[in-house]
Amino acid sequence: MPHSLGWYHTPTPSGFVLHLTATPNHLRATRTLIAKALADAGVGEDLAYSTQLVMSELCGNAVRACGDFVPLIAEVGVTSSECGDDAGRGVGVRLHDPYRQMLPVRGGVRLDDPNAESGRGLPLVDLLAPGWRVTGTPVGKQVRCWIPAQ
């Protein structure tokens, strides 16, 4: 759905696909859209907040690597187990940017380092979405991860 601020999203059965440029207003709108879509899907606040953190970190990394106003495609979708319980339930997150060569790089900062002013983003993603990966695409790269329900 087009938005007057220049981003548009398409609802999916379990979430959404969002086309945006990396600006502070669009990133705030992305967090708001995540909260609404996941609440509508019955996802708890903790998992929704973890999803917002992961997407924020991935978007921030894309901006640092590619520059302000980089075009991004963000996808969020809830997955659930076939058993109907919370085992296997989680949220899939994908972020696509056009710069295939600019891969995420860990800064070597510990999450509990009281003196670090930056560099905690990817360790945070490691913690919340273990096993995330980067996949090259014909027009860039996509960071893919899955955030399990706790």
Side-chain angles (χ1 to χ4, degrees), residues 7-12 15-22 26-27 29-31 33-34 37 51-52 54-56 58-60 62 70-77 91-98 141-144:
W7 55 268
Y8 63 95
H9 82 281
T10 305
T12 64
F16 62 86
V17 176
L18 176 66
H19 295 255
L20 70 150
T21 53
H26 290 177
L27 298 179
T30 302
R31 288 189 295 271
L33 185 58
I34 289 169
T51 303
Q52 289 173 313
V54 168
M55 184 63 79
S56 293
L58 297 180
C59 288
V70 63
L72 303 172
I73 301 171
E75 298 177 61
V76 173
V91 177
V93 172
R94 295 179 181 197
L95 185 72
H96 185 271
D97 73 58
K141 71 176 175 294
Q142 187 178 75
V143 180
R144 300 175 179 186

Side-chain angles (χ1 to χ4, degrees), residues 81-128:
S81 72
E82 312 251 323
C83 303
D85 59 13
D86 277 345
R89 185 172 167 87
V91 177
V93 172
R94 295 179 181 197
L95 185 72
H96 185 271
D97 73 58
Y99 297 98
R100 187 176 192 164
Q101 307 86 339
M102 305 299 283
L103 299 176
V105 178
R106 287 177 180 83
V109 174
R110 292 186 341 260
L111 283 174
D112 63 349
D113 184 342
N115 299 314
E117 294 182 14
S118 65
R120 292 185 181 105
L122 290 179
L124 183 61
V125 173
D126 287 336
L127 179 68
L128 297 173

